Amino acid sequence: MRQADVTRNTSETKIQITINLDGTGKAELASGVPFLDHMLDQIARHGMIDLKVVAKGDTHIDDHHTVEDVGITLGQAFAKAVGDKTGITRYGHSYVPLDETLSRVVIDFSGRPGLEFNVPFTRSRVGDFDVDLSIEFFRGFVNHAGVTLHIDNLRGINAHHQIETVFKAFGRALRMALEIDPRASGVVPSTKGSL
């Protein structure tokens, strides 16, 4: 079973995340940041990943530490759940439209953290959510999951749509990359023999 339960406690946040990579898209979300919960739901639903997030953070200051630390903890959970990556497809990609907006996400479970984030936000906030926190979430994730991630918003004028298509495409790309390839049973998808 490709599952993980990770707890991360700091002086700024206390976070517990449980994931099942072979789930049905169920989500139980209580991050304390409503818009982040909405985006985490996209990852679960479109990635077919069961996801439970409970977080308590210093949101009386702002949402930065909570959003970043949820990304970090989620990355740790993915690294633990995917293990040595034997049999996975490794690469995943997705294009997702939402009305006028189109985003592309490409991921490689390479073992090497790297993020290219190209989203020209059209405004600085969606409700109470600072759009800059989305890059902090993904930076935390890639650094702790050990993945290379390219995120491109190709067009869009609605910042909510921009972020939502990114998270939906991220979920779909995760699903593709984490699928077990029946032709690669027992094989690590690398000429090096390890990732």
Side-chain angles (χ1 to χ4, degrees), residues 19-192:
I19 62 168
N20 176 359
L21 301 183
D22 301 303
T24 59
K26 292 184 301 186
E28 295 177 50
L29 306 167
S31 72
V33 181
F35 189 78
L36 177 61
D37 287 347
H38 180 43
M39 294 303 106
L40 293 170
D41 195 27
Q42 305 306 321
I43 296 172
R45 190 76 47 90
H46 296 282
M48 295 300 286
I49 296 160
D50 291 346
L51 175 61
K52 181 177 181 182
V53 176
V54 178
K56 295 193 185 318
D58 56 0
T59 54
H60 60 283
I61 297 172
D62 71 9
D63 295 338
H64 186 283
H65 296 141
T66 300
V67 174
E68 179 181 30
D69 288 3
V70 167
I72 288 168
T73 311
L74 187 63
Q76 292 170 337
F78 267 81
K80 184 176 178 182
V82 79
D84 70 359
K85 304 172 190 138
T86 298
I88 69 168
T89 301
R90 177 178 168 177
Y91 301 100
H93 65 274
S94 181
Y95 287 80
V96 170
L98 176 55
D99 297 340
E100 86 298 344
T101 303
L102 177 64
S103 293
R104 174 184 61 215
V105 174
V106 183
I107 193 166
D108 175 12
F109 275 80
S110 61
R112 295 182 306 277
L115 176 64
E116 288 293 327
F117 188 89
N118 300 296
V119 181
F121 289 116
T122 57
R123 64 180 193 262
S124 62
R125 300 191 84 76
V126 173
D128 294 330
F129 188 81
D130 178 351
V131 299
D132 288 341
L133 296 183
S134 55
I135 191 171
E136 300 304 329
F137 171 86
F138 286 111
R139 185 178 291 124
F141 179 86
V142 302
N143 286 338
H144 292 270
V147 300
T148 300
L149 183 63
H150 287 248
I151 295 173
D152 295 284
N153 172 238
L154 303 175
R155 64 181 60 92
I157 57 173
N158 181 310
H160 187 139
H161 292 174
Q162 289 176 295
I163 298 173
E164 188 164 336
T165 55
V166 162
F167 274 84
K168 285 179 175 177
F170 178 61
R172 297 290 300 186
L174 284 170
R175 183 177 174 183
M176 179 186 290
L178 293 170
E179 284 289 321
I180 298 298
D181 182 347
R183 294 178 60 202
S185 178
V187 176
V188 174
S190 171
T191 56
K192 295 191 292 287

